Amino acid sequence: MKDVQFGELPFLKYDHTVVTCVYSPAGTSFAVVLSDGSINVYATSNWEKTWILSGHGFGVNNIAYSPNGDQIVSGSEDSTVRVWDVAAGHCLYIFIGHTRGIRSMAYSPQSNVVASSGGDGTKFELWDIETGSRVRRLSGHKWGTLSLAYSPQGDQLVSSGSDKEIRLWDVETGECRQTMTGHIAEVTMVLYSPKGDYIASASSDKTVRLWNVGSGSSRKISKYHSGGVTNLKYSPKRNQVASCSWDSTIQLWDALTGVHSHTLTGHGERVYTISYSPQGDQLVSCGEDNTVRLWDVESGACLYTLTGHTKAVWEVTFSPGGDQIASASEDETVRLWNVSTGECQHVLTGHSDNVWVVTYSPQGNQVASASSDGTVRLWSVETGVCQHSLTGHSKRIHRIVYSPNGNQIASASDDKTVRLWDVKTGMCSHIFIGHQDYVIRVVYSHQGHQVASSSCENKTVRIWDIESGECLHTLVGHQQYIHAIAYSPRGNLIASWSDLGEARLWDVKTGECYWTLNHDGLTPSVNLYASHPFVWMSADIDSFITGDGGGSVRGWEVRKEEDGHRVCMRWKSTNGQLTVEDACAQDVQGLNDLNKRLLKQRGATGRPSVRLRDTSKKVMTMTSVVSKLKSSSSNTEARNLSLTSPAISSTIHSEQQTEQVMDAFEN
């Protein structure tokens, strides 16, 4: 075999970018489209390359196998559609009629007609495979047609376009039977359910909708958070992670599998910060609606809504004993709340500007707060009296943190410095100078012998020695603003994270970067002062959870290898659970370990049930997943699991546009 490496599955390596790839319906053939316009066809029995199909004048945008797998149809930027014989490897027909590049194609279930749409406006074409002639031209969309799909019976065709509409067509007459509206942005993909009674659509408005073909009515399927993730917290007691968002909701997930358990609703505006109780049975949240809310984690019920702040509440945290909550607000105050009664015990006043941060000492007898007025204040939890006002920073303070033993506080400021303060005396013991821009994050190592700090716009992380004040390493390489840093539970790694989707892992001893992740098209957070979505999990394994401005939550595992570290994604957030209890993962070809884990988190089994065995161990395909969505809740979303679907997502549309349907139905 040439150009193939074996791991869990063959790994095909090319000199050109892979545009899209697709399995034949029977799984015996596999086709890969490259950016040079060629189509590489492989026999999956031995992964030998059988053909290189070439002839298009420009790049190929998409391909599809015929239902019986004996033909491949391809659409190109050269405005033509070509039909290829899989066995012989030659071109059977060239369909000419479009004036711009091909955007979507669909085979009829009977394999006798191909529908194609191009970038040339509102029309799309139907082509006879037997004769190579055009059967019909359909038009009706106000702007370009982006996606086409046949009904399972082949008597209907559904199309979607840039005009936000979905149209249902009679194949025999060419008449538009129905126009379905509801999306507020272009509809990038449409797909029929196996029985043909439902249509799924994905849109740039960040929603997936299910449409009843008979009535034309729809319901929206939410895709994890609909706004940027502002904060993440991990509960080791429950092995659970909580995320909060601009969309005013809080989501609870199983930290290992990503299975969603609760959506907590009640806040009227953005939720900025959340915190677990030490026991893990309660969660506290705060937000732009000026309230603090206390939640029961098991039931998802709101126990108390704590009111009193007159402006947005930026941060909340539990005391080490779990009997008290501290909240920091834009109204320049800190409030201490009794967890049992919900009553406010103390209102701490003294700051002259927004209070962004509040934290308890490890012993729980003291609260520290930081403000835009450039001061840090230390308060007695028992009396509410200010014990020290730590002055020295010349600009606002973004973050404060107690040392593990509680003897020191580190503060990060817009004045480009990090300061260490003696808690007993209130005196500044060290000033760390070196950042070229404002410092927004500071964290202690678990042993307390180091401090790491990050500068947002300067895009650097610095590691400082506590005793000497020396800068041990300057970590350089981020292309985006850094919004979060954290030591791993073992203390050997530092993670740095950006709301724009860039993450890096660094070796603490050497300062080397071991791993980089980039996600494009995410939305940055508007609040640099609140906590940000990155949290390490267990001390047993190096694993962590990330959130981003696009609303996604992901679980990762760090694996030590001979040449460094490898980071693997364990799960991606889902806002609800797809019902696939009767799906068997055992006989599915092409599943890696991640795919199987994600299937099982939806209820799939490792072994076929008796009913499945009686039906020749049928494997669920992309379209059978669609039918499951009908019985799912309105908050259903599925992760991209790459089952034996006939097509793997094309990169013609952006990831955010195509991911809506492919996540739910290609899996």
Side-chain angles (χ1 to χ4, degrees):
M1 291 183 59
K2 296 180 180 179
D3 303 325
V4 178
Q5 299 177 18
F6 280 96
E8 292 180 339
L9 288 172
F11 181 83
L12 308 175
K13 195 170 184 179
Y14 304 98
D15 294 330
H16 297 279
T17 301
V18 177
V19 177
T20 187
C21 52
V22 58
Y23 271 103
S24 66
T28 57
S29 177
F30 185 73
V32 179
V33 176
L34 301 181
S35 58
D36 64 356
S38 67
I39 303 169
N40 293 259
V41 183
Y42 297 85
T44 57
S45 58
N46 55 14
W47 288 98
E48 292 285 353
K49 187 184 296 183
T50 56
W51 304 108
I52 298 178
L53 310 179
S54 59
H56 282 293
F58 294 101
V60 176
N61 291 334
N62 41 44
I63 57 172
Y65 277 89
S66 61
N68 57 18
D70 62 342
Q71 293 177 346
I72 289 175
V73 63
S74 59
S76 168
E77 279 298 316
D78 65 8
S79 308
T80 68
V81 175
R82 289 176 177 252
V83 180
W84 308 85
D85 186 293
V86 173
H90 63 253
C91 180
L92 299 174
Y93 297 107
I94 303 175
F95 298 147
I96 300 174
H98 291 287
T99 58
R100 292 189 181 179
I102 308 303
R103 294 292 173 262
S104 180
M105 300 179 306
Y107 257 104
S108 67
Q110 295 78 19
S111 297
N112 61 336
V113 177
V114 166
S116 62
S117 68
D120 45 4
T122 63
K123 65 181 183 297
F124 56 94
E125 316 281 358
L126 302 185
W127 309 91
D128 189 304
I129 292 295
E130 297 296 327
T131 65
S133 61
R134 183 170 60 202
V135 178
R136 187 169 284 107
R137 173 176 290 174
L138 307 179
S139 62
H141 284 286
K142 300 178 183 67
W143 299 302
T145 305
L146 300 180
S147 181
L148 300 168
Y150 273 95
S151 66
Q153 297 77 22
D155 59 334
Q156 293 178 349
L157 187 71
V158 64
S159 63
S160 67
S162 300
D163 57 5
K164 313 171 191 176
E165 293 181 349
I166 297 166
R167 288 179 173 260
L168 194 60
W169 306 85
D170 185 293
V171 171
E172 185 67 28
T173 66
E175 295 180 0
C176 180
R177 291 182 176 179
Q178 198 169 18
T179 300
M180 294 173 278
T181 59
H183 283 294
I184 60 175
E186 63 180 11
V187 185
T188 57
M189 190 170 289
V190 284
L191 191 67
Y192 269 96
S193 65
K195 294 181 180 179
D197 51 351
Y198 276 83
I199 291 171
S201 61
S203 169
S204 296
D205 64 10
K206 298 183 179 180
T207 66
V208 174
R209 287 179 177 266
L210 286 182
W211 305 83
N212 185 294
V213 172
S215 66
S217 60
S218 73
R219 73 168 189 257
K220 182 170 67 174
I221 303 174
S222 178
K223 184 180 175 10
Y224 38 82
H225 284 296
S226 59
V229 178
T230 54
N231 193 217
L232 291 171
K233 287 291 164 49
Y234 172 68
S235 170
K237 296 289 181 67
R238 304 181 68 87
N239 203 26
Q240 185 183 71
V241 64
S243 60
C244 63
S245 169
W246 291 4
D247 64 9
S248 77
T249 70
I250 301 158
Q251 310 283 2
L252 304 183
W253 322 85
D254 184 286
L256 290 180
T257 65
V259 172
H260 178 269
S261 58
H262 289 296
T263 298
L264 311 183
T265 59
H267 280 286
E269 301 288 343
R270 297 173 178 176
V271 184
Y272 287 134
T273 312
I274 48 181
S275 179
Y276 276 100
S277 65
Q279 297 77 22
D281 58 340
Q282 293 179 335
L283 188 78
V284 65
S285 60
C286 67
E288 199 170 320
D289 61 1
N290 307 346
T291 68
V292 175
R293 288 179 176 262
L294 184 64
W295 309 85
D296 179 79
V297 172
E298 186 67 31
S299 65
C302 181
L303 303 175
Y304 293 110
T305 300
L306 311 180
T307 59
H309 284 294
T310 58
K311 292 185 179 180
V313 185
W314 297 114
E315 188 159 49
V316 286
T317 185
F318 275 95
S319 64
D323 57 341
Q324 195 178 68
I325 292 168
S327 58
S329 172
E330 190 179 345
D331 65 10
E332 304 176 6
T333 70
V334 173
R335 287 177 176 256
L336 304 184
W337 311 84
N338 185 293
V339 170
S340 299
T341 65
E343 296 179 356
C344 181
Q345 296 175 302
H346 296 292
V347 181
L348 312 181
T349 60
H351 285 293
S352 59
D353 208 334
N354 294 346
V355 184
W356 299 108
V357 188
V358 64
T359 182
Y360 280 92
S361 65
Q363 295 77 21
N365 62 337
Q366 190 180 71
V367 163
S369 60
S371 168
S372 292
D373 64 11
T375 68
V376 177
R377 287 180 175 261
L378 307 184
W379 313 84
S380 167
V381 168
E382 184 178 356
T383 65
V385 172
C386 181
Q387 298 170 323
H388 293 291
S389 179
L390 313 182
T391 59
H393 283 296
S394 59
K395 294 184 179 180
R396 73 183 68 184
I397 299 171
H398 285 273
R399 185 59 46 186
I400 54 173
V401 60
Y402 277 93
S403 62
N405 59 17
N407 294 333
Q408 280 183 337
I409 285 180
S411 58
S413 170
D414 271 359
D415 65 9
K416 306 178 185 178
T417 68
V418 174
R419 289 178 178 250
L420 301 186
W421 309 86
D422 186 281
V423 170
K424 289 184 178 180
T425 66
M427 301 298 292
C428 179
S429 58
H430 287 89
I431 304 176
F432 297 149
I433 300 174
H435 284 291
Q436 302 302 307
D437 211 320
Y438 53 82
V439 187
I440 66 167
R441 291 292 175 266
V442 61
V443 292
Y444 273 95
S445 65
H446 301 298
Q447 297 78 20
H449 67 298
Q450 289 179 351
V451 161
S453 58
S454 66
S455 177
C456 181
E457 293 189 6
N458 190 235
K459 305 168 188 175
T460 61
V461 178
R462 287 176 177 260
I463 302 175
W464 310 86
D465 182 81
I466 292 296
E467 293 297 324
S468 66
E470 177 188 0
C471 180
L472 303 176
H473 298 291
T474 300
L475 312 182
V476 180
H478 268 280
Q479 302 300 311
Q480 307 289 350
Y481 292 172
I482 301 171
H483 295 101
I485 55 173
Y487 278 90
S488 66
R490 299 177 185 178
N492 60 322
L493 299 173
I494 285 180
S496 53
W497 177 259
S498 166
D499 276 358
L500 290 168
E502 182 185 12
R504 288 176 178 260
L505 285 184
W506 311 84
D507 185 277
V508 171
K509 289 185 178 179
T510 66
E512 294 180 16
C513 180
Y514 276 142
W515 173 75
T516 302
L517 168 75
N518 281 286
H519 287 292
D520 294 330
L522 303 180
T523 307
S525 172
V526 297
N527 179 21
L528 296 178
Y529 314 108
S531 298
H532 277 267
F534 186 103
V535 61
W536 287 94
M537 289 167 52
S538 169
D540 300 327
I541 57 173
D542 284 328
S543 53
F544 57 93
I545 310 290
T546 62
D548 60 47
S552 174
V553 179
R554 293 174 171 89
W556 307 85
E557 181 179 336
V558 183
R559 298 176 183 174
K560 176 68 175 174
E561 296 184 345
E562 291 183 2
D563 57 346
H565 293 77
R566 184 163 66 97
V567 179
C568 306
M569 187 173 70
R570 295 181 59 90
W571 56 268
K572 178 183 175 183
S573 62
T574 57
N575 193 4
Q577 298 183 36
L578 178 64
T579 306
V580 291
E581 285 84 355
D582 60 346
C584 170
Q586 175 176 293
D587 300 316
V588 180
Q589 298 179 6
L591 287 181
N592 58 27
D593 289 341
L594 172 63
N595 298 152
K596 293 175 182 177
R597 285 200 303 270
L598 293 171
L599 269 178
K600 289 180 181 179
Q601 83 180 46
R602 296 292 172 270
T605 61
R607 289 173 167 269
S609 63
V610 174
R611 183 159 59 89
L612 283 176
R613 285 196 294 267
D614 291 343
T615 56
S616 303
K617 300 182 180 179
K618 291 182 180 179
V619 179
M620 213 166 66
T621 64
M622 175 172 71
T623 49
S624 65
V625 176
V626 180
S627 67
K628 294 297 175 183
L629 286 173
K630 294 191 299 179
S631 59
S632 302
S633 68
S634 61
N635 290 327
T636 304
E637 188 266 354
R639 172 72 181 111
N640 187 353
L641 305 182
S642 301
L643 279 175
T644 55
S645 70
I648 298 176
S649 175
S650 169
T651 58
I652 296 171
H653 303 302
S654 69
E655 178 187 352
Q656 283 188 322
Q657 292 172 342
T658 59
E659 193 180 36
Q660 305 283 335
V661 161
M662 301 312 292
D663 277 357
F665 310 120
E666 193 172 80
N667 311 303

